[in-house]
Amino acid sequence: MRSLWRVGGFAAALLATAAGAAERQQLVEVFEVEKAVGRRGQETWALVRYATESGDDVDARQRADAPEGWAWASDWIADGSRGDGGWEFSGDGGRTWDVNTKGARRLHRRRRWLR
């Protein structure tokens, strides 16, 4: 599993706490992935996992604990700027996501969380 804290891929607002360090912040994003359960038109959504934008799993510890020398500057905030209420959709839950809810059956959805 790749580290949640890599600079080039993605990042939530982190504040440096190391003594003498200048104040620095970095934005972190995590995607909540859900799967449709039940009959079409009556389905509900069940949490599958949390992941990076590229699909790597992010476990609960990575979402909760800031790296050593850092502290969270805010709680997680749902990003509602994408798609229908902030959700993007996929037929297979893979790497291709779309904001369009019309047409082909969308079995998976994801929402971006920022911190």
Side-chain angles (χ1 to χ4, degrees), residues 37-60:
V37 178
R39 296 173 46 150
R40 186 174 183 160
Q42 298 176 350
E43 68 266 51
T44 59
W45 295 94
L47 178 66
V48 174
R49 64 193 174 104
Y50 287 89
T52 65
E53 184 171 21
S54 62
D56 297 324
D57 287 339
V58 176
D59 65 29

Side-chain angles (χ1 to χ4, degrees), residues 5 12 32 51 108:
W5 313 115
E32 170 188 10
H108 293 84

Side-chain angles (χ1 to χ4, degrees), residues 91-105:
D92 63 3
R95 296 192 188 277
T96 304
W97 297 87
D98 188 353
V99 296
N100 184 6
T101 59
K102 308 245 188 287
R105 171 100 193 242

Side-chain angles (χ1 to χ4, degrees), residues 23-103:
E23 184 176 320
R24 298 174 293 172
Q25 291 190 3
Q26 184 176 21
L27 183 66
V28 177
E29 68 181 15
V30 169
F31 289 84
E32 170 188 10
V33 180
E34 296 183 339
K35 181 177 183 176
V37 178
R39 296 173 46 150
R40 186 174 183 160
Q42 298 176 350
E43 68 266 51
T44 59
W45 295 94
L47 178 66
V48 174
R49 64 193 174 104
Y50 287 89
T52 65
E53 184 171 21
S54 62
D56 297 324
D57 287 339
V58 176
D59 65 29
R61 182 188 50 76
Q62 288 176 302
R63 294 190 319 272
D65 298 338
E68 186 175 332
W70 293 85
W72 295 120
S74 70
D75 289 330
W76 289 103
I77 300 167
D79 175 13
S81 69
R82 298 174 174 213
D84 181 12
W87 294 100
E88 298 174 300
F89 298 87
S90 172
D92 63 3
R95 296 192 188 277
T96 304
W97 297 87
D98 188 353
V99 296
N100 184 6
T101 59
K102 308 245 188 287

